[in-house]
Amino acid sequence: MKEFDPKIVAFCCNWCSYAGADLAGVSRMQYPPNVRIIKVMCSGRIDPLFVLMSFLEGADAVLVTGCHIGDCHYIDANHKTKNRFEFLKEMIAELGIGEERLRLEWISATEGEKFADMVKETVEKIKKMGPSPLSPKVMQ
Amino acid sequence: MEEKEIRIGVFICHCGTNIGGSVDVPAVVEYAKHLPNVVHAERNLYTCADDGLTAIKNAIKQHKLNRVIVASCTPRTHEPLFRSTCEEAGLNKYLFEFVNIREHCSWVHMKDTEGATEKTKELVRMGVARATLLEPQEEMKIDVEQSAMVIGGGIAGITAAKTLANQGFDVYLVEKEAVLGGMLRNLYRLFPTGEDSLDSLQPSIAAVEGHEKIKVFSSCELKEVKGYIGNFDVTLLREGKEVNFKVGTIIVATGAMEFEPKGHYGYGKYDHVITQMQLEKLLKDGQLKKSDSVVMIQCVGAKGEEVSYCSRICCMVAIKNAMLIKEINPDADIHILHNDIQAYGAEYEELYNKAREMGIRFIKYTPESPPCVTMDGEKLKVEVYNELFGEQFMLGTDLVVLSTPLVQHQGGVEISKLLRVPLGKDKFFFEAHVKLRPVDFATDGIFLCGTAHGPAEVAESVSQALAAASGAGIPLSRGFVQIEAISVKVDLEACIGCGFCVEMCPYQALDMVDGKLEIIEALCKGCGTCVATCPTGALEQRHYQNNQIISQIKSIFHPVIE
């Protein structure tokens, strides 16, 4: 049987975490090809619906990323991200998806290594956990 | 209105071997051809090169494309180029979609061609899903504050400030020290001409201090910078009091400092082990005691664990200072211990040769067996393995001078946080693009120059300063900038007037007037935080619409092939 290959959706903000992911590339840091990045201007744009929909569609993990608190390009919009994330995390746990599958990480434009590490760690962890209970691989 | 047929063209870039080396590009092109709404797919060696751009323009006409996707590098550097190419061919630039398959794929999966190729296909599929739903947009113009701030009053900052002021713009020059001049103030004479550093610095300082367009804020600390290109709000601290002003653009010229070689070659332990900067001061003050023998050691702390890079300029500094000592004392016995001399360019090569003719000796050591400095009675003793001769040399000496690299200082790190602009791995400020945008930051309206960017000599710092001033002057002279059409809009019929969005906005761009939502577009910066909170979907962000993002999510998990 083919080894379980997790699908991970990462929401990145234009200014920090997307640039951090760029820096990981520029620095040729190697990480597994399991993550799909969706760019938004600010982590504040990440509608909880996007996260839930990712899980419903079959994501094994979702990464919500943005600028560090205090470094937001939009003054304090990432505070809203933080608040929403806490509520989302509870909801994901309540729904039985497993709160470990949702991760919030603040990644600056200079933290390419942090981005690469985040992906590596998440892939490793999810491989151990197995597919999401909502994944088509499990549902079928 | 009848929906026009969607016709997407996909251009996949090899980027030489940067992408083509780890992604099977022809396979991705074949795959893309069969995705919904794609009417044309091709690959280019470099899509950003002239023939790539021409191919896009031709294909737009030939295949009547109304959406264009380029799958190549990061939108953070090349999106403006491809967008303007689309515009040149009559396509609204918001109908262009960028898929990042280099920074986010080929460069991070270099040894996994299969994985990288599959991922690239999916990324292209996501791009096609999003492109299908893109809509044309019109951009708003905003006025630009006709002034600039230059941070740092060294030779780079002084040059940038003077250049902008001479173009007729108001300049605020901010310096944390009490006097202008920066590192150059502490130097003696400059290579390759041997002119006095103050002689070359003083006229520039005088020009800046006497310039009617320049306000110099010395002994000042930068406290806060808010806003964006054209409209930065700056707060300084001067003697504990806040000073506020507005500027359109910003230049970072915060310089660097000499690495302190604590614990290297007896530095700090023996009095006569000093750095090149300390030697400059001794020479400048005429305090250098008669030194019959001098040993200089290159790359101290550099190209190793503490500082990984070559600081570029220290070889020339050592050669120049060795020659200056020879001028004072022609009989002085001078050795320069190095592992490769950086004497780039004709002038520096010439200086290096002249130094050899003067009798200055160069000994190449290997990084594996570096020199060793000890005390032998009253004299310093330097042991070094001469790679060329294949034997150990013993040098008794009066003075050991360590050539140490330039490094970032804490002030630079603070400024990076304050302006939200990045530092690179070497901790120096990180430009938007190493070749194409060497003095710009990725953030619009902020530029950099001088040793804040990395070790540089005076001429290089000055060239960079002129370039940065030219870049910072463009939006000022144009008088306006076009703001990306990513602001929010409301569907009043769907709006229930709950007002959640009003509280979310960091800019007070939303207001509830008589139970009706009003949006002040000029204040909206397009973060989209309000949209994410709208319970009815009445709010929508231009170019980052809900349906566009959802289509991307869905396309990850649904490999639809026509």
Side-chain angles (χ1 to χ4, degrees):
Chain A
M1 209 181 95
K2 212 183 154 211
E3 198 200 350
F4 163 54
D5 209 19
K7 270 278 168 72
I8 298 162
V9 180
F11 293 96
C12 291
C13 77
N14 180 64
W15 306 99
C16 293
S17 54
Y18 191 92
D22 277 354
L23 183 61
V26 173
S27 321
R28 310 295 197 275
M29 289 163 185
Q30 303 297 298
Y31 57 80
N34 300 66
V35 69
R36 303 290 173 266
I37 292 174
I38 293 177
K39 185 179 81 155
V40 285
M41 290 310 288
C42 175
S43 62
R45 176 70 182 92
I46 305 167
D47 195 317
L49 185 74
F50 298 160
V51 175
L52 291 175
M53 188 159 268
S54 301
F55 280 119
L56 283 172
E57 291 291 332
D60 296 301
V62 176
L63 305 169
V64 172
T65 69
C67 307
H68 284 269
I69 293 291
D71 275 357
C72 182
H73 201 84
Y74 300 101
I75 306 175
D76 59 355
N78 59 357
H79 286 264
K80 276 78 177 185
T81 315
K82 191 168 171 271
N83 296 343
R84 281 182 200 141
F85 179 81
E86 276 155 21
F87 143 80
L88 255 172
K89 194 122 180 143
E90 274 177 40
M91 187 140 86
I92 297 295
E94 199 75 16
L95 290 169
I97 297 171
E99 60 172 319
E100 303 93 323
R101 294 182 188 275
L102 179 62
R103 179 167 172 176
L104 172 72
E105 206 66 69
W106 306 128
I107 297 172
S108 79
T110 59
E111 293 176 324
E113 201 167 356
K114 191 171 179 190
F115 184 88
D117 288 344
M118 170 186 72
V119 175
K120 279 190 267 188
E121 283 166 26
T122 308
V123 171
E124 225 166 89
K125 188 168 83 181
I126 300 299
K127 274 191 175 170
K128 278 189 199 135
M129 286 176 73
S132 152
L134 293 183
S135 156
K137 295 164 201 129
V138 174
M139 300 290 273
Q140 272 164 15
Chain B
M1 198 178 82
E2 202 190 334
E3 190 75 30
K4 219 171 115 192
E5 184 199 1
I6 306 288
R7 299 178 65 82
I8 302 177
V10 182
F11 300 82
I12 301 173
C13 181
H14 280 258
C15 194
T17 55
N18 283 302
I19 294 167
S22 18
V23 170
D24 182 351
V25 175
V28 179
V29 173
E30 272 317 300
Y31 178 82
K33 279 182 182 164
H34 296 95
L35 289 168
N37 304 316
V38 173
V39 296
H40 174 73
E42 67 172 271
R43 57 197 170 99
N44 319 99
L45 187 56
Y46 291 99
T47 311
C48 63
D50 244 5
D51 36 354
L53 301 177
T54 309
I56 294 175
K57 284 188 266 189
N58 289 343
I60 290 174
K61 292 195 180 85
Q62 195 188 334
H63 300 282
K64 298 189 174 60
L65 303 179
N66 52 24
R67 303 285 189 284
V68 167
I69 295 176
V70 171
S72 62
C73 46
T74 171
R76 289 170 56 85
T77 55
H78 280 57
E79 191 168 60
L81 175 70
F82 293 125
R83 278 182 158 189
S84 59
T85 303
C86 289
E87 275 186 324
E88 282 167 33
L91 190 67
N92 183 285
K93 68 182 185 183
Y94 288 87
L95 298 175
F96 168 77
E97 173 66 7
F98 213 127
V99 177
N100 184 338
I101 61 168
R102 192 180 72 178
E103 279 81 348
H104 292 184
C105 191
S106 69
W107 274 351
V108 288
H109 316 308
M110 292 174 84
K111 293 186 181 79
D112 181 5
T113 302
E114 195 193 330
T117 304
E118 283 313 302
K119 178 172 169 178
T120 304
K121 286 179 185 174
E122 266 184 36
L123 294 175
V124 171
R125 190 166 82 215
M126 290 164 71
V128 169
R130 177 175 152 81
T132 302
L133 297 169
L134 288 177
E135 291 175 7
Q137 306 290 346
E138 291 301 322
E139 290 187 339
M140 196 174 62
K141 283 181 184 176
I142 56 160
D143 292 338
V144 165
E145 199 66 35
Q146 296 289 299
S147 58
M149 168 169 69
V150 178
I151 312 169
I155 188 66
I158 288 172
T159 306
K162 197 174 66 180
T163 308
L164 276 168
N166 285 344
Q167 288 175 42
F169 304 114
D170 290 317
V171 181
Y172 300 89
L173 178 59
V174 183
E175 167 60 48
K176 67 174 191 295
E177 303 292 339
V179 285
L180 296 178
M183 197 184 292
L184 211 47
R185 188 170 271 284
N186 302 319
L187 302 185
Y188 176 40
R189 273 154 60 179
L190 306 176
F191 65 79
T193 52
E195 72 189 293
D196 191 287
S197 71
L198 284 185
D199 284 350
S200 52
L201 189 60
Q202 289 299 8
S204 294
I205 293 180
V208 161
E209 285 178 337
H211 206 296
E212 54 168 11
K213 290 294 219 181
I214 301 176
K215 276 203 185 90
V216 178
F217 289 90
S218 47
S219 303
C220 275
E221 194 189 321
L222 199 58
K223 184 173 178 241
E224 191 173 49
V225 177
K226 282 184 175 172
Y228 48 93
I229 181 171
N231 295 276
F232 290 105
D233 288 301
V234 180
T235 309
L236 299 181
L237 277 182
R238 185 164 59 176
E239 290 162 3
K241 284 203 191 93
E242 286 193 0
V243 181
N244 295 294
F245 52 83
K246 271 173 108 71
V247 293
T249 49
I250 295 172
I251 295 177
V252 175
T254 48
M257 66 172 201
E258 188 191 39
F259 171 79
E260 203 194 345
K262 271 187 201 148
H264 290 269
Y265 304 108
Y267 181 84
K269 191 166 148 198
Y270 308 133
D271 286 346
H272 297 291
V273 179
I274 61 172
T275 65
Q276 290 288 359
M277 204 69 110
Q278 289 166 320
L279 174 63
E280 297 268 357
K281 185 149 184 11
L282 291 177
L283 287 166
K284 196 183 187 84
D285 301 344
Q287 297 287 321
L288 184 70
K289 295 205 183 81
K290 190 165 159 57
S291 302
D292 292 327
S293 59
V294 178
V295 173
M296 295 185 178
I297 305 176
Q298 301 304 106
C299 300
V300 177
K303 297 200 280 190
E305 274 171 28
E306 283 157 293
V307 174
S308 61
Y309 51 88
C310 162
S311 186
R312 297 174 70 237
I313 57 169
C314 345
C315 284
M316 293 315 300
V317 171
I319 291 170
K320 174 211 59 161
N321 285 343
M323 291 169 79
L324 292 175
I325 295 172
K326 272 278 191 194
E327 260 178 39
I328 302 167
N329 177 10
D331 296 328
D333 196 17
I334 305 178
H335 287 85
I336 296 180
L337 316 184
H338 65 94
N339 73 87
D340 282 343
I341 287 287
Q342 281 271 11
Y344 51 94
E347 277 178 317
Y348 300 163
E349 188 72 33
E350 200 177 300
L351 208 66
Y352 171 53
N353 289 332
K354 201 172 156 205
R356 295 174 74 109
E357 281 163 22
M358 285 172 84
I360 295 162
R361 296 194 187 92
F362 291 81
I363 298 179
K364 186 170 158 68
Y365 71 87
T366 58
E368 296 77 42
S369 51
C372 178
V373 180
T374 50
M375 222 43 202
D376 187 14
E378 290 291 287
K379 269 199 145 186
L380 285 160
K381 189 176 79 178
V382 182
E383 283 176 82
V384 60
Y385 178 76
N386 187 327
E387 206 191 7
L388 217 62
F389 283 62
E391 61 187 79
Q392 199 77 10
F393 274 41
M394 194 80 79
L395 308 165
T397 182
D398 301 318
L399 185 67
V400 171
V401 185
L402 307 180
S403 298
T404 59
L406 288 185
V407 293
Q408 179 63 283
H409 50 74
Q410 192 50 36
V413 177
E414 299 299 328
I415 298 282
S416 139
K417 287 184 193 154
L418 228 136
L419 296 176
R420 295 175 289 274
V421 293
L423 303 175
K425 246 186 166 171
D426 55 11
K427 300 278 185 291
F428 285 111
F429 284 97
F430 196 51
E431 70 289 324
H433 191 283
V434 63
K435 291 187 175 68
L436 305 175
R437 296 175 65 193
V439 298
D440 312 19
F441 282 109
T443 307
D444 289 337
I446 310 183
F447 301 82
L448 84 159
C449 58
T451 51
H453 178 245
E457 45 104 350
V458 176
E460 289 166 339
S461 290
V462 168
S463 315
Q464 288 177 16
L466 294 170
S470 148
I474 292 169
L476 303 185
S477 60
R478 190 187 283 155
F480 67 88
V481 281
Q482 276 176 300
I483 291 299
E484 269 208 277
I486 52 172
S487 57
V488 297
K489 54 184 180 181
V490 61
D491 172 1
L492 282 175
E493 278 182 26
C495 176
I496 53 169
C498 68
F500 291 160
C501 52
V502 176
E503 291 166 36
M504 284 294 140
C505 180
Y507 303 97
Q508 281 119 38
L510 305 180
D511 198 10
M512 203 54 85
V513 182
D514 302 328
K516 216 175 111 188
L517 183 66
E518 280 185 7
I519 300 172
I520 307 144
E521 205 189 326
L523 288 181
C524 175
K525 306 285 176 286
C527 65
T529 308
C530 57
V531 185
T533 210
C534 179
T536 64
L539 275 175
E540 191 60 284
Q541 182 181 10
R542 290 180 175 88
H543 207 54
Y544 289 90
Q545 292 173 194
N546 284 322
N547 63 344
Q548 292 164 352
I549 296 170
I550 289 169
S551 75
Q552 279 178 290
I553 298 171
K554 286 192 168 175
S555 68
I556 300 174
F557 302 97
H558 298 283
V560 197
I561 297 278
E562 258 181 350

